Amino acid sequence: MTNLRNEGPIGVFDSGLGGLTVLRALHERLPHEDFVYIGDTARTPYGTRGKQTILNYAHACARVLREQRVKLLAIACNTLSAVALSSLDGELFFPVIGALRPGAQAALGVSTGKRIGVLASTRTALADAYPQAFSALDHSARVYVQKSPLLVTLADEGWTEGEVPTLVVREYLKPLLSHSIDTLLLGCSQYPLFSKLIEAELAPHPTPRGRPIAVVDSAQPLAKQVVREIAERQLATERTDPGKLRIVLSDMPEDFTVANRYLGRDLATLQVTAVDL
Amino acid sequence: MTNLRNEGPIGVFDSGLGGLTVLRALHERLPHEDFVYIGDTARTPYGTRGKQTILNYAHACARVLREQRVKLLAIACNTLSAVALSSLDGELFFPVIGALRPGAQAALGVSTGKRIGVLASTRTALADAYPQAFSALDHSARVYVQKSPLLVTLADEGWTEGEVPTLVVREYLKPLLSHSIDTLLLGCSQYPLFSKLIEAELAPHPTPRGRPIAVVDSAQPLAKQVVREIAERQLATERTDPGKLRIVLSDMPEDFTVANRYLGRDLATLQVTAVDL
């Protein structure tokens, strides 16, 4: 007998479009699962808002998530994970997985000297959530968080190469390099767009052991964690046909250029609907 | 007998904090008037949103404006002026003044060759509202609009000097300079923070008559227009004591550094309240 709960979609919740990288990673790993992606594009970015405002927005999105009958929720937005994870977890009747812990675990896994830099939104940096997430896993880790809000706008504009993003990245990396980090965690779902540029900027600054500073993003670790939870909680679908992707956005973008880049395929081929949040 | 209507405040409506430059200009010109400033800081910037989303936001703010019993409204945000002016004008029972026409008039007033560049938000550029505003005033004007969304984030961050803003400004000015503009209109309430930098970038590119390209912002022309309308419509207060400023924001900023810079005084000395929009 089919377990009805297991045939519900997996939810991915983001403040904007960056979380489509998480959806992509999940869809590749779980091709038979249905997914519903909620992006609050009408009010993105969350990273510069106050805590209460973000909680209000999360609450409004939770209503939509319940209507979609998701069986498990991945919070792709690091700001949401930093500010609203426990609140959402208390409000929703299905498992909620945040981006911070999987990212911190992955960073600790590759770190050679436990000196870890994090690029994050203003709100995530202020919330002190990353130092707490690392500390819960390993008390000895030194964690340095740099707010880097301009990367969000550059990503939205698709301006990810050339002089301007290079200088912006260089400016944000300076204080982290002064702390002799050996690992850099990209603590915002949009920052992987700058991976190449960041790696090039870090290249002249090897760790004391002569190895390059490791760059880790949280999309892949979050996706892996979701796959584990689906298995452990016995939530996998029994269907064997290709799963469906639904995209729900609160504001329709002018075009899907940036979104397509995150998702790695053409959004126009998917069901994209608008919702008031 | 005191005219009760005339003793209501003048409203200034902005998507964020940039419109405080307009409030400042108005307060200097009309020191006995009360003002109420509404900044939708929880959902700023509007300039990257879709048209319907902006109309929804304007509608929500209109409710607050009615509760405040304003006697006349200045829309400091150029995106709101471009997208929602006629809608707000139809919905509100007091005069509504947008930023586009006063700015266009001021630009035409100083232009020597009627080749005018405009820096504006993405939405304002897409709405084609500036070419229309200029065309209504002078059919012969050539108008070139350049979207420049990154300046909004740089302004929010207070990052208005140095290499990064210089390069960003240079990049946005390139296409306008290729059209041999003689006047540049700053079509967003936050852009005056970059005036000095923009003038320095324009200096090596004088007009054919050897004069520097004129830079015009819309805050001062909008303030002048409001002063005129208050007089013409006989809406001036009869009080002679200093007017009060009230600031209403949908999200409280972490600190008032940037806001103080726009307003030219310390917001902490004013009545600042939060509202759900």
Side-chain angles (χ1 to χ4, degrees):
Chain A
M1 202 184 100
T2 302
N3 184 331
L4 270 179
R5 184 196 56 171
N6 285 26
E7 301 313 318
I10 296 170
V12 179
F13 177 17
D14 191 57
S15 55
L17 297 171
L20 290 170
T21 52
V22 175
L23 178 61
R24 178 186 188 167
L26 278 170
H27 182 56
E28 284 167 5
R29 286 177 162 85
L30 301 168
H32 305 301
E33 296 288 348
D34 289 344
F35 290 93
V36 57
Y37 179 91
I38 314 262
D40 192 4
T41 44
R43 305 186 291 201
T44 193
Y46 282 7
T48 52
R49 318 269 177 227
K51 192 176 166 182
Q52 191 52 52
T53 298
I54 294 167
L55 286 169
N56 292 348
Y57 291 172
H59 182 76
C61 293
R63 181 179 49 76
V64 178
L65 290 162
R66 274 193 302 268
E67 289 165 5
Q68 302 284 339
R69 304 187 170 279
V70 310
K71 61 181 172 186
L72 180 144
L73 177 66
I75 305 185
C77 170
N78 303 63
T79 306
L80 267 169
S81 302
V83 171
L85 176 60
S86 61
S87 170
L88 278 172
D89 199 31
E91 189 180 350
L92 298 168
F93 299 100
F94 43 81
V96 180
I97 323 280
L100 269 54
R101 192 183 170 93
Q105 263 169 332
L108 284 170
V110 300
S111 173
T112 49
K114 293 186 185 174
R115 300 184 71 86
I116 295 163
V118 183
L119 292 177
S121 77
T122 305
R123 174 56 46 196
T124 303
L126 286 167
D128 212 36
Y130 266 112
Q132 285 170 29
F134 276 98
S135 171
L137 295 165
D138 186 337
H139 258 297
S140 68
R142 300 280 193 96
V143 180
Y144 308 95
V145 183
Q146 170 64 40
K147 72 182 177 97
S148 31
L150 216 67
L151 294 182
V152 173
T153 315
L154 284 166
D156 285 342
E157 290 301 305
W159 199 350
T160 56
E161 284 172 15
E163 233 176 340
V164 169
T166 302
L167 276 175
V168 171
V169 162
R170 192 172 296 163
E171 204 62 40
Y172 286 143
L173 289 178
K174 257 183 210 163
L176 297 177
L177 287 170
S178 77
H179 289 298
S180 307
I181 57 166
D182 60 70
T183 302
L184 177 70
L185 176 58
L186 306 183
C188 172
S189 62
Q190 295 176 291
Y191 294 175
L193 285 188
F194 302 97
S195 293
K196 275 190 189 166
L197 205 158
I198 287 170
E199 279 164 11
E201 281 299 310
L202 294 177
H205 307 276
T207 65
R209 303 184 194 186
R211 290 163 58 169
I213 295 172
V215 179
V216 176
D217 80 68
S218 50
Q220 300 300 327
L222 173 58
K224 280 185 201 161
Q225 182 63 30
V226 169
V227 172
R228 265 195 300 273
E229 301 262 353
I230 290 285
E232 282 171 15
R233 294 167 186 266
Q234 304 189 307
L235 283 170
T237 179
E238 291 172 12
R239 286 181 288 103
T240 53
D241 54 328
K244 289 179 210 65
L245 306 187
R246 277 198 61 201
I247 315 281
V248 180
L249 304 175
S250 52
D251 185 47
M252 279 295 152
E254 206 56 40
D255 63 64
F256 286 133
T257 314
V258 175
N260 292 343
R261 203 164 155 195
Y262 287 125
L263 190 60
R265 61 188 277 189
D266 191 355
L267 253 78
T269 63
L270 305 177
Q271 189 188 351
V272 184
T273 51
V275 68
D276 278 334
L277 286 174
Chain B
M1 202 184 102
T2 302
N3 184 331
L4 272 178
R5 183 196 55 172
N6 286 26
E7 301 314 317
I10 296 170
V12 179
F13 178 16
D14 191 57
S15 56
L17 297 170
L20 290 170
T21 53
V22 175
L23 178 62
R24 177 186 190 167
L26 278 170
H27 182 56
E28 283 167 6
R29 286 178 162 85
L30 302 168
H32 305 302
E33 297 288 349
D34 290 345
F35 290 92
V36 57
Y37 179 91
I38 315 260
D40 192 3
T41 45
R43 305 186 290 199
T44 195
Y46 282 7
T48 51
R49 317 270 178 227
K51 192 176 168 183
Q52 190 52 52
T53 298
I54 295 167
L55 286 169
N56 292 348
Y57 292 171
H59 183 76
C61 293
R63 182 179 49 77
V64 177
L65 290 162
R66 274 194 301 266
E67 288 165 7
Q68 302 284 338
R69 303 187 171 281
V70 310
K71 61 182 173 188
L72 180 143
L73 176 66
I75 305 185
C77 170
N78 303 62
T79 306
L80 267 169
S81 302
V83 171
L85 177 60
S86 61
S87 170
L88 278 173
D89 199 32
E91 189 180 352
L92 298 168
F93 298 101
F94 43 82
V96 181
I97 323 280
L100 267 55
R101 193 184 168 94
Q105 262 168 335
L108 284 170
V110 299
S111 172
T112 49
K114 294 187 183 173
R115 300 184 71 87
I116 296 163
V118 184
L119 291 177
S121 76
T122 305
R123 176 55 46 196
T124 303
L126 287 167
D128 212 36
Y130 266 113
Q132 285 169 29
F134 275 98
S135 171
L137 295 165
D138 186 337
H139 258 298
S140 69
R142 298 280 192 98
V143 180
Y144 307 94
V145 183
Q146 170 64 40
K147 72 182 178 95
S148 33
L150 216 68
L151 295 181
V152 172
T153 314
L154 285 166
D156 285 341
E157 290 300 304
W159 199 350
T160 56
E161 283 171 17
E163 231 176 341
V164 169
T166 302
L167 276 176
V168 171
V169 162
R170 190 172 299 163
E171 204 62 41
Y172 287 144
L173 289 178
K174 255 183 212 165
L176 298 178
L177 288 169
S178 77
H179 289 298
S180 307
I181 57 165
D182 60 71
T183 301
L184 178 69
L185 176 58
L186 306 183
C188 171
S189 62
Q190 295 176 291
Y191 294 174
L193 286 188
F194 302 97
S195 293
K196 275 189 190 167
L197 206 158
I198 287 169
E199 279 163 11
E201 281 299 310
L202 293 177
H205 306 276
T207 64
R209 301 183 195 187
R211 290 164 58 170
I213 295 172
V215 178
V216 176
D217 81 68
S218 51
Q220 301 299 328
L222 172 59
K224 280 185 202 163
Q225 182 64 29
V226 169
V227 172
R228 265 196 299 273
E229 301 261 354
I230 291 284
E232 283 172 14
R233 293 167 186 267
Q234 303 188 309
L235 282 170
T237 178
E238 291 172 11
R239 287 181 288 105
T240 53
D241 55 328
K244 292 179 208 66
L245 306 187
R246 276 197 63 200
I247 315 281
V248 180
L249 303 175
S250 52
D251 185 48
M252 279 295 154
E254 207 54 43
D255 64 62
F256 286 133
T257 314
V258 174
N260 292 342
R261 201 164 157 198
Y262 287 124
L263 191 59
R265 62 188 276 189
D266 191 355
L267 253 78
T269 64
L270 304 177
Q271 190 189 350
V272 184
T273 50
V275 69
D276 278 335
L277 286 175

